[in-house]
Amino acid sequence: MVLCCCAKGDDEPDLNASGEVVAVDQIAKDRKCTDLLFLIIFAAFWVGMLAVGITGFTDGDVNRLLYGIDYHANLCGVSTNGSDPDFGSRDQLFYYDLASTAESLSGASSTSSALNSISVSSLRSVCVNGCPSDYIPYSSLMSMVSIATVAASVSTSDTAMAAAMATISATYEEYLDDKYFICEYYKYTNTSLSNGTTVPDDWDSQYFSSLSDSAKISSIKMSDGPCYPTYMKYSDFLNYCVPAIPTEMTEYFEGSTAATTGAPTATGTTASPTATGTTG
């Protein structure tokens, strides 16, 4: 927007409407602002913006722009001076039940119904102190899921669940650590704990190792939780944990890794290459 008129170059004579050369002092005398009305409107706009900004910072909460809000409407990254929950050290929001969302999407008949099927309950999240960087390789997770699923389909007795966990632990013990699982806040669960374990804090979200064998099997299956395995690496993006799908996971689905290295399939068997080089 041009607010005032501009003088011509020094080497060009200034002419009036009749084409006559005008003296320099006459030009200076005739100068005036040309867009005064719009200048006033522009200034009023900035006054209004300033008023809105001051009101927002005074009466609002800027933290709602900086941090995420979890499934239970708790604001991450905010200290509450000792009252529950105090998430001053938990800046990141993590969506821990992606499997339910994927299941809702894959079972939908159309894109619109898929979007409509996504609800708050299928996007469960918790505030965490750092996005998970440790994850269970997808092929290993599928083998663990297979063992847990088969065991649960045969019997849900304590003895059967203990046997299933012993089978999983024999091969995948390193992945049964708390750092590979993110859980619903303990406060909102009715889950059973193993004997002799310390009861987790109400707002604890990593307590997989404290669960009973049946609750661990349920968590590994990614069915009813309360804990869910992390099978990809996450990075922090504006205080949200964003997944970075590992190459191993994409290759597992494409079949190239299974065909060349004999990676186990979801049923726990070894995939065999077909004539085209993909898994059969």
Side-chain angles (χ1 to χ4, degrees):
M1 178 187 296
V2 179
L3 299 180
C4 297
C5 56
C6 299
K8 296 182 180 180
D10 294 338
D11 56 345
E12 299 180 17
D14 293 289
L15 308 176
N16 60 17
S18 303
E20 300 173 347
V21 177
V22 182
V24 175
D25 57 343
Q26 183 65 29
I27 295 175
K29 181 178 179 181
D30 292 342
R31 284 179 181 271
K32 63 180 179 180
C33 291
T34 58
D35 292 324
L36 184 59
L37 175 62
F38 291 99
L39 177 61
I40 295 173
I41 295 174
F42 188 64
F45 164 77
W46 276 108
V47 170
M49 288 293 294
L50 183 61
V52 170
I54 293 175
T55 302
F57 276 94
T58 302
D59 300 332
D61 187 355
V62 70
N63 288 316
R64 290 182 174 271
L65 299 177
L66 302 177
Y67 303 104
I69 300 176
D70 69 13
Y71 171 60
H72 299 286
N74 298 308
L75 185 61
C76 301
V78 175
S79 178
T80 55
N81 297 321
S83 60
D84 286 337
D86 192 331
F87 290 156
S89 62
R90 301 189 190 185
D91 295 342
Q92 290 77 30
L93 183 70
F94 179 77
Y95 293 96
Y96 60 84
D97 190 13
L98 295 178
S100 294
T101 303
E103 184 177 353
S104 299
L105 292 174
S106 62
S109 57
S110 65
T111 302
S112 59
S113 60
L115 294 176
N116 290 333
S117 68
I118 300 178
S119 62
V120 175
S121 61
S122 66
L123 294 174
R124 288 177 285 184
S125 59
V126 293
C127 299
V128 294
N129 181 15
C131 298
S133 57
D134 298 297
Y135 64 92
I136 304 174
Y138 198 73
S139 57
S140 298
L141 177 61
M142 287 297 96
S143 294
M144 294 168 64
V145 171
S146 178
I147 296 171
T149 302
V150 171
S153 65
V154 174
S155 174
T156 56
S157 66
D158 292 343
T159 302
M161 296 295 95
M165 282 305 304
T167 301
I168 294 174
S169 179
T171 307
Y172 305 106
E173 182 176 7
E174 63 176 305
Y175 300 128
L176 300 180
D177 190 273
D178 284 344
K179 66 182 180 180
Y180 293 104
F181 291 83
I182 300 294
C183 314
E184 167 66 290
Y185 299 127
Y186 183 71
K187 175 184 177 72
Y188 298 105
T189 68
N190 275 327
T191 189
S192 58
L193 302 176
S194 59
N195 294 329
T197 59
T198 303
V199 177
D201 179 77
D202 280 350
W203 301 104
D204 194 354
S205 61
Q206 287 189 298
Y207 50 85
F208 175 81
S209 60
S210 299
L211 298 176
S212 64
D213 290 328
S214 59
K216 287 179 179 178
I217 290 295
S218 176
S219 297
I220 292 173
K221 287 171 55 185
M222 294 182 286
S223 54
D224 299 321
C227 300
Y228 296 81
T230 55
Y231 46 89
M232 61 185 77
K233 185 177 181 179
Y234 290 81
S235 57
D236 180 7
F237 179 73
L238 300 179
N239 290 319
Y240 285 82
C241 293
V242 179
I245 300 177
T247 304
E248 186 268 348
M249 185 175 177
T250 57
E251 289 180 343
Y252 181 88
F253 282 111
E254 293 172 354
S256 58
T257 299
T260 57
T261 65
T265 64
T267 58
T269 59
T270 302
S272 58
T274 63
T276 58
T278 58
T279 54

